[in-house]
Amino acid sequence: MTDAPTDTLSAARAGRGDLVRWTRTLIPTSKEAPADAEAVSHRLLVRAGYIRRVGAGIYDYLPLAWRVLTRLCRIVREEMNAAGASEMLMPALEPLEFFKETGRDAEYGDNLFRLTDRHGRVCALAPTHEEIITDLMKAAVSSYRQLPLNLYQIQTKYRDEFRPRSGLLRGREFIMKDAYSFHLTPDGPGGLGEGYEAMRRAYTNIFTRCGLDFTVVEAQSGPIGGSASHEFMVNCDAGEDLILRCPTSGYAANVEKCEIGDRAWSFDGEPTGELEQVHTPNMPSIEEVGKYLKVKPRNMLKTVVFRAAGDASPAGVRWVLAVVRGDHDVNEGKVKDAAGFPVALANEAEARAAGFAIGYVSPRSALGRSDCLLLVDPDAARGMDPEKDKPMFWAAGADEPDHHVKHFNWRREMGKVLDNPGSVKVADVRNAQAGDPSPRDPSARLEEGRGIEVGHIFQLGTKYSEAMGFTVLDPDQRRRPVIMGCYGIGVSRTLQACVEMSHDDDGIVWPAAVAPFDVLITPISADEAGDQMRAALRLADELTTAGLDVLIDDRDERPGVKFKDADLIGVPVRLTVGAKALAEGCVEFTRRARARDAERVPLDQAAARCASA
Ligand code: ATP
Ligand code: MG
C-alpha cells in the first residue's frame, strides 16, 4: 500500500486514521475495581485499562486514555482557535514571588504545592497561571491597540487537594485548558463582555461536541477573584456540586450562589410559652438536640458567628451573627453580601473570648452589644408559623454551654433591637434548596440536581492587573489597568465525566467524538495467516484510508474474553469477523450503544457502513 501523496497542502493535512493492534499496545483490562473507587466512571476507567493510580490523586494515562485526551484537546483547540484565541505554553514551575504579589499564596493556602530548590528559592507548582501571564503581558503589551487578546494553554496543573478522590474527577495533578483574555473596556466592541460571551459560546460548542448533557450555571468566583462567573456542569448524580434550576425561566445556579425568590416574613406573633431553659449535654448536632427536645429542626434557630474581616465594616461592628432555620445551611457568600463588608467564619477561641458560647449561640447574644450585626434569614424571621397559621414555636441556644431554650419569641426576647436597621437585617443568608421560590418566577419552585464542574469562566476585572501594575495607554494617552477574564476547562475531568454520563452495566459507551478508536475489529481467530485476520486487515486498511481510527483485537483469546473487553473499553462500532459469516462474504456490525442489535454486512460494504454509523 502506498502513502497518500503529500505534495499538496490539503493532501498533507487530510491524514489517514490509525491502525493499532491490541497485542502491540497496552490495555490491561481487569475484573478488579479499586477498593477506594466511589464513582462508577473511576471503576470503569481502571478496569478498562485507561488509567492507573500512581499515588493519591496522581494517575498514569495509558494509551486508550491518552487517545481520548488527544481527541478532547483537538475539540478544545478547534473551538478556542475559532473564537480567536492563540495557544501557547507556560511553565508549571513558578517562583513563589508571583503569588505573593497578588496575595494568592495566602488565598490558595495549603492547596498550593510549594517546593524549595537547591539554592533555597521557593517555587510553586502552578494551580493556574494568572500571575505568570499577567507578568508576560506587562512586558509585551503597552498600548490599547494591542488589545483585545486571548491566550490559552493546555497543561498539567497541580493542587494539593485536601481529599483527592474519584479518580480523575479530583486529582492533585490534572490536565487543564486555561485561557486568559485582556481588554481595555468592560463593555462595547473588544470589551470583556464580548470576550466573555465568545468564550461562553466556545465552551457550549466544546461540551456539545463531546456529547455531554450539561447545564450552564451562575457561580461564585472563589480564590480566583472577580465578579461574573459561570460554570459548565455535566448533569449527573455522581457530581460533587449541587445545582438548582428554575423550571420556567431557565435560571440555573450553583448552590454556592443560587438566589431565592421573595419570602414573606414578620417577627410579630404571640409567645408559645415561658422561655424555658433545658440542659442538653453531649449533643453535638441540631438533630440530636431536636430529638431530645422533641422539636423538629425547622423549629430551631441556628446562629453562626462570623468575624468582620478587613477594615471595611461600619464603625464598631466586629461580629456578624447569621441566623437560619435549623434545617437550613448558612451560605457564607450571602452573609458577605448581606453584611456589605468582608466577613470570615469566626475562630472558635476568639469568639469564645468575646463572649459567644459557640455551639449554643442564639440571637439573644447580640442584646446589649453594639459590636454585633444580626442577619436573619426570612424563614427564621417569623413570629407566626406559615404552615400551621399559629404562633411559631422556636427552640434556640441558651447562650451558655450545654443548654438550649424553648419558646423563644422574637418580639419578647429581642424587643426594640429588631427595629434598629443598624443592628438587625432580614436577608437571604442561606443555601437554596428544592422547593424554594424561584428568584426569576414567583410562581415557580426551584429544582435540585447534581453536576460535575467541567468548565468555569470568570470576569476577573482588574484584580491581577492592579496587583501587578499592568496598565496600557488608552486612546487619550492615559494609563489604565487592563481588564481581564479567565477561562478553565478540566480536560482530564471531562474525560471521566464522559464515562460517568455514558456507560452501562458492561462498560463504557463512548460518545463517538471522543472515543479512543472509531472501530474495533474482532477476528474470532487470531491466526495471522488465516482468512479472518486477512479480512480484518483489509477492512482496517479501508477504514484507516477513510480517516477512521481502528483497533484490531488480534489476541489469541477466547471470543467471550474479547467480547467482554470490547464492551468494557467502549469503542462505538464493532466489526466481528467469524468463520460462518465470512464464508458467506459477510462480517457482523454492532454499535456499542446497542450491543444486542448485530447486523450482517457484506465485506465490501462494511467500511462504508462504519463511516456512516
Ligand atoms: P472545584 O470547585 O471542582 O475544586 P475549582 O473551581 O477550584 O474546581 P477552577 O480553578 O475553576 O476549579 O479550575 C478550572 C477547571 O479545572 C474546573 O472547572 C475543573 O473542571 C478543573 N479542576 C479543578 N480542580 C481539579 C482537580 N482537582 N482535578 C481535576 N480537575 C480539576
Ligand atoms: Mg471552578
Side-chain angles (χ1 to χ4, degrees):
M1 154 196 22
T2 53
D3 283 331
T6 55
D7 55 349
T8 64
L9 264 186
S10 61
R13 303 193 50 153
R16 78 185 267 132
D18 293 337
L19 168 57
V20 175
R21 284 166 172 255
W22 197 302
T23 56
R24 300 270 62 86
T25 185
L26 184 67
I27 311 177
T29 57
S30 92
K31 291 205 179 74
E32 304 302 316
D36 65 327
E38 294 166 36
V40 185
S41 51
H42 180 195
R43 283 202 291 280
L44 286 175
L45 285 171
V46 173
R47 286 194 46 219
Y50 282 76
I51 59 170
R52 182 167 177 276
R53 183 180 183 275
V54 176
I58 313 174
Y59 288 85
D60 287 320
Y61 304 109
L62 278 63
L64 287 183
W66 189 247
R67 294 188 66 93
V68 176
L69 288 170
T70 305
R71 282 196 171 181
L72 281 171
C73 289
R74 188 192 301 165
I75 294 174
V76 169
R77 289 193 168 101
E78 284 175 4
E79 295 298 335
M80 290 299 293
N81 296 347
S86 293
E87 186 170 3
M88 63 174 300
L89 187 61
M90 288 177 270
L93 197 57
E94 302 182 354
L96 192 69
E97 289 93 84
F98 286 96
F99 288 93
K100 289 204 168 130
E101 247 181 279
T102 59
R104 273 216 304 171
D105 57 331
E107 282 171 24
Y108 255 106
D110 289 340
N111 264 13
L112 196 63
F113 271 111
R114 289 155 221 254
L115 53 93
T116 308
D117 71 14
R118 62 172 75 202
H119 303 294
R121 291 179 292 234
V122 184
C123 284
L125 292 176
T128 54
H129 279 75
E130 281 78 2
E131 288 83 358
I132 302 295
I133 197 146
T134 305
D135 186 62
L136 164 71
M137 293 291 289
K138 186 178 159 183
V141 170
S142 56
S143 161
Y144 77 96
R145 291 177 202 279
Q146 293 164 281
L147 303 180
L149 266 181
N150 184 323
L151 298 169
Y152 77 97
Q153 62 177 350
I154 297 179
Q155 196 216 33
T156 302
K157 296 285 191 282
Y158 299 86
R159 293 184 187 177
D160 196 357
E161 299 279 356
F162 178 66
R163 198 156 98 80
R165 65 187 143 138
S166 304
L168 307 182
L169 290 184
R170 187 165 294 284
R172 294 198 301 162
E173 175 179 310
F174 57 96
I175 301 173
M176 191 200 285
K177 187 286 300 178
D178 48 326
Y180 306 89
S181 72
F182 304 89
H183 314 263
L184 180 69
T185 54
D187 308 305
L192 173 62
E194 190 184 272
Y196 189 80
E197 271 316 304
M199 283 298 103
R200 196 218 281 255
R201 279 196 303 275
Y203 275 43
T204 301
N205 294 345
I206 289 167
F207 296 120
T208 304
R209 285 180 63 183
C210 291
L212 290 166
D213 166 28
F214 63 96
T215 306
V216 187
V217 305
E218 293 187 10
Q220 196 101 53
S221 31
I224 302 259
S227 52
S229 137
H230 288 85
E231 287 164 339
F232 289 72
M233 294 284 188
V234 173
N235 300 316
C236 72
D237 295 341
E240 266 184 46
D241 287 275
L242 183 63
I243 56 192
L244 292 117
R245 284 189 198 84
C246 165
T248 59
S249 66
Y251 173 81
N254 192 311
V255 66
E256 291 167 2
K257 172 87 180 176
C258 186
E259 301 159 39
I260 304 174
D262 281 341
R263 289 165 283 158
W265 59 271
S266 163
F267 287 120
D268 298 329
E270 291 304 307
T272 47
E274 290 297 308
L275 192 68
E276 179 190 336
Q277 186 152 326
V278 188
H279 190 211
T280 52
N282 308 318
M283 294 171 207
S285 73
I286 286 240
E287 286 71 27
E288 282 164 279
V289 176
K291 265 201 191 114
Y292 183 74
L293 297 180
K294 297 197 171 60
V295 175
K296 291 200 182 87
R298 70 173 291 281
N299 288 93
M300 299 171 76
L301 294 174
K302 190 194 289 185
T303 305
V304 180
V305 183
F306 290 84
R307 177 174 51 78
D311 40 22
S313 59
V317 173
R318 291 211 47 228
W319 304 96
V320 174
L321 306 184
V323 188
V324 299
R325 243 165 52 178
D327 57 335
H328 290 152
D329 292 311
V330 171
N331 179 306
E332 195 170 331
K334 290 183 177 182
V335 172
K336 270 179 210 166
D337 290 346
F341 50 84
V343 299
L345 209 55
N347 162 296
E348 231 183 281
E350 219 184 344
R352 275 190 221 282
F356 296 104
I358 293 295
Y360 306 89
V361 179
S362 91
R364 291 194 303 152
S365 61
L367 288 173
R369 297 182 71 132
S370 56
D371 62 350
C372 270
L373 171 64
L374 204 54
L375 296 177
V376 189
D377 185 74
D379 291 315
R382 290 192 193 277
M384 293 293 287
D385 189 330
E387 281 170 29
K388 301 186 177 143
D389 199 25
K390 289 203 304 210
M392 185 77 184
F393 177 94
W394 288 118
D399 297 299
E400 62 175 88
D402 295 337
H403 288 83
H404 282 83
V405 295
K406 288 165 56 162
H407 305 293
F408 174 99
N409 175 271
W410 280 103
R411 279 284 163 215
R412 180 181 63 194
E413 266 56 76
M414 304 301 291
K416 285 210 202 47
V417 178
L418 296 180
D419 303 317
N420 176 1
S423 310
V424 180
K425 257 193 211 169
V426 177
D428 174 16
V429 290
R430 69 164 172 90
N431 284 346
Q433 60 186 35
D436 283 338
S438 160
R440 299 288 181 274
D441 175 356
S443 68
R445 303 267 142 194
L446 291 173
E447 294 170 356
E448 275 182 13
R450 299 204 77 85
I452 300 174
E453 177 195 326
V454 286
H456 197 165
I457 58 178
F458 303 85
Q459 296 198 3
L460 286 176
T462 53
K463 169 171 168 160
Y464 294 88
S465 51
E466 285 197 40
M468 299 181 74
F470 172 29
T471 58
V472 289
L473 286 176
D474 71 8
D476 301 322
Q477 297 297 309
R478 278 185 314 234
R479 292 220 153 267
R480 283 213 247 157
V482 170
I483 298 174
M484 293 171 55
C486 80
Y487 316 92
I489 289 183
V491 178
S492 45
R493 184 184 279 182
T494 302
L495 175 154
Q496 191 170 324
C498 289
V499 177
E500 192 60 48
M501 235 203 61
S502 185
H503 65 263
D504 61 19
D505 291 345
D506 300 318
I508 302 169
V509 184
W510 284 110
V514 298
F517 291 96
D518 301 301
V519 182
L520 168 64
I521 304 180
T522 309
I524 301 293
S525 150
D527 175 7
E528 203 62 34
D531 289 349
Q532 295 180 29
M533 267 305 276
R534 281 212 308 269
L537 287 168
R538 252 194 333 269
L539 280 170
D541 188 48
E542 282 182 58
L543 290 164
T544 52
T545 304
L548 300 183
D549 293 333
V550 177
L551 175 65
I552 294 192
D553 190 350
D554 60 342
R555 292 176 299 168
D556 187 14
E557 283 285 0
R558 282 180 292 116
V561 172
K562 292 188 173 193
F563 294 149
K564 263 207 150 44
D565 279 352
D567 284 343
L568 195 54
I569 69 170
V571 174
V573 167
R574 203 188 297 170
L575 292 178
T576 308
V577 188
K580 228 156 122 200
L582 197 57
E584 292 163 27
C586 290
V587 289
E588 217 164 71
F589 169 97
T590 351
R591 284 199 184 86
R592 173 63 186 87
R594 278 178 268 147
R596 291 211 172 70
D597 303 346
E599 274 172 56
R600 268 196 182 188
V601 180
L603 266 175
D604 58 354
Q605 291 168 27
R609 186 78 183 79
C610 293
S612 65

